[in-house]
Amino acid sequence: MEYNTQKTHLNMPEYGRIIQQLVECCKEVSDREERNEMAMAIIDFMGQRNPQLRDEENYKHKLWDHLFILANYDMDVDSPYPFPTREELAEKPKRMEYPKLQGDFKFYGKSILQLIEKAIELESGDEKEALIEVIANNMKKSYNVYNKEHVTDDVIFRHLKELSNNRLDLTGIDSLEKSKIYYANNNNRNNNKNSNNKNQPAKRRFNNNNNHKNRR
């Protein structure tokens, strides 16, 4: 039996002409139970031919949708999912808008917005203040890397205030270098240096003693 598979085959060429012919054959089966069994077998075959679909969410649902498309939206079988209509598939997805990251703010990235929302949710206190300063420091790094130029802290403070709709404000400090985060990092580095310096004389004495023994 010959089937006109050219049109639908071109719509989903990844499944190949063999699957398309099986779909057309399934449509011709008169017994409904036998037709349902054949449709299930075709679904399994489609999954084998395209194993990458298994990594996608609801991949079985997608396979049934693809089966209906291959059948040119005309297949009378008992699907576990409602078949889509031509209109539903033709409808374009809504465009996602990121108004806050347009223009001057596009290089900050979505993660900065998420951190800002988290900081807004926190109650006032040291934790919130520390997070705000972390956000500002990361914004400054992103700005400098993207624009390849130094940015003053007051610009970062203004951007942070605007991105948070005036709910986060760092204008109370002169610069990020006077923030608690900056001093905490510097103190840690200084403590590590002092610790290393204290250990150096002991290491030298230990090495000198070993050298003296080796000479003997």
Side-chain angles (χ1 to χ4, degrees):
M1 184 180 295
E2 294 291 336
Y3 298 106
N4 183 10
T5 62
Q6 185 176 5
K7 183 176 180 180
T8 49
H9 172 65
L10 290 176
N11 288 336
M12 308 198 76
E14 64 270 24
Y15 288 111
R17 192 172 298 276
I18 293 177
I19 289 181
Q20 181 65 62
Q21 290 176 344
L22 288 173
V23 171
E24 296 298 331
C25 182
C26 182
K27 292 168 62 175
E28 298 295 329
V29 175
S30 58
D31 183 77
R32 186 176 189 83
E33 185 176 351
E34 184 179 346
R35 194 165 61 246
N36 285 334
E37 291 178 359
M38 187 172 182
M40 288 291 296
I42 295 172
I43 288 291
D44 291 339
F45 189 27
M46 290 167 65
Q48 294 172 13
R49 292 290 296 271
N50 293 273
Q52 72 278 2
L53 288 176
R54 295 180 184 274
D55 297 330
E56 298 183 19
E57 187 178 359
N58 299 324
Y59 86 98
K60 278 284 188 180
H61 193 169
K62 291 181 180 180
L63 288 176
W64 280 97
D65 286 351
H66 293 174
L67 175 67
F68 197 54
I69 295 171
L70 290 170
N72 202 22
Y73 304 90
D74 179 24
M75 176 170 274
D76 185 16
V77 292
D78 297 326
S79 168
Y81 311 98
F83 281 135
T85 63
R86 292 180 186 272
E87 291 74 22
E88 289 173 342
L89 292 177
E91 184 179 353
K92 294 183 178 180
K94 294 181 179 179
R95 184 172 180 175
M96 298 183 68
E97 297 181 357
Y98 300 95
K100 291 183 177 180
L101 292 178
Q102 298 299 317
D104 294 338
F105 304 140
K106 60 185 178 182
F107 45 82
Y108 287 131
K110 187 177 180 180
S111 59
I112 288 293
L113 290 181
Q114 292 172 338
L115 287 173
I116 288 175
E117 292 300 324
K118 178 64 177 177
I120 291 171
E121 294 172 2
L122 291 176
E123 295 183 2
S124 298
D126 291 341
E127 184 181 358
K128 181 169 185 171
E129 185 179 345
L131 179 55
I132 296 172
E133 292 171 2
V134 167
I135 293 170
N137 276 286
N138 279 283
M139 288 174 63
K140 187 173 183 178
K141 291 177 184 177
S142 297
Y143 188 105
N144 290 337
V145 170
Y146 184 87
N147 294 288
K148 294 182 174 57
E149 63 181 25
H150 179 73
V151 59
T152 58
D153 292 342
D154 62 300
V155 172
I156 296 299
F157 297 159
R158 188 176 73 249
H159 289 180
L160 175 62
K161 194 173 181 180
E162 190 169 344
L163 286 170
S164 65
N165 293 323
N166 298 323
R167 288 176 288 182
L168 300 181
D169 191 353
L170 278 181
T171 55
I173 60 174
D174 296 331
S175 68
L176 289 173
E177 293 183 355
K178 294 185 178 181
S179 69
K180 291 181 179 179
I181 294 296
Y182 179 85
Y183 279 122
N185 291 337
N186 272 357
N187 287 336
N188 288 335
R189 284 195 291 268
N190 291 333
N191 290 336
N192 289 335
K193 286 182 180 179
N194 292 334
S195 177
N196 290 334
N197 291 335
K198 289 178 181 179
N199 292 331
Q200 283 179 0
K203 288 181 180 178
R204 281 197 294 269
R205 286 196 300 271
F206 178 77
N207 291 333
N208 290 335
N209 290 336
N210 283 341
N211 292 334
H212 183 68
K213 290 178 180 180
N214 291 334
R215 291 195 197 98
R216 290 182 178 179

